[in-house]
Amino acid sequence: QLSVLLPFVAFLLAQVWAIHALFGAADLWRYLLFIGDYSKPLGFFDLIWAIVTEDLVARYLGMVFKAFTVMAAAGRLQHRRVCQIMMLQEASVGGYRDAVPVPLWFSFLNTWPTADALVPSGKI
């Protein structure tokens, strides 16, 4: 039902907007698109913060895409076809959520045994 899904989608989009409005100066959105500055590794706590935040945003955006699919396919497609589309979306969002932290961890672990690795840098 659209009356249930539209407020849900609005709520999720508001949360994604709030995260990036509050932490927009940190350029967290660049890591979502795999265009972040990986040459400067983050400190450990900055790394954990970036990974958790980006995973949350990716999860919410995946839920928004699935809600749009349900709204668009309501009554137009057979239930089996909608389930297949949802499973494809779930698998692709899961793969994307798994891939987002890989470059961050890779750049961190390349410089890990240094003293700077565990000190928060304050730059994300």
Side-chain angles (χ1 to χ4, degrees):
Q1 291 182 349
L2 256 84
S3 62
V4 174
L5 284 177
L6 283 177
F8 174 70
V9 168
F11 176 70
L12 290 176
L13 289 175
Q15 286 186 345
V16 169
W17 176 81
I19 287 172
H20 283 285
L22 292 173
F23 305 107
D27 289 332
L28 290 174
W29 64 271
R30 292 180 176 274
Y31 294 113
L32 263 178
L33 300 175
F34 298 105
I35 58 172
D37 186 13
Y38 300 110
S39 63
K40 295 182 255 178
L42 301 173
F44 179 74
F45 295 104
D46 294 333
L47 174 77
I48 297 298
W49 175 253
I51 288 172
V52 168
T53 304
E54 295 304 330
D55 184 60
L56 181 73
V57 170
R59 182 183 324 148
Y60 283 175
L61 290 177
M63 285 190 272
V64 167
F65 289 136
K66 287 188 277 186
F68 279 138
T69 300
V70 169
M71 286 189 286
R76 293 186 183 98
L77 297 175
Q78 295 177 355
H79 179 71
R80 181 181 172 123
R81 180 63 62 187
V82 173
C83 290
Q84 289 173 343
I85 293 170
M86 297 291 279
M87 290 292 274
L88 178 66
Q89 285 180 335
E90 184 68 31
S92 60
V93 168
Y96 179 73
R97 286 178 59 202
D98 289 341
V100 166
V102 170
L104 291 168
W105 278 115
F106 185 76
S107 67
F108 174 77
L109 292 175
N110 274 337
T111 61
W112 178 56
T114 64
D116 295 339
L118 295 178
V119 177
S121 66
K123 301 177 207 165
I124 295 181

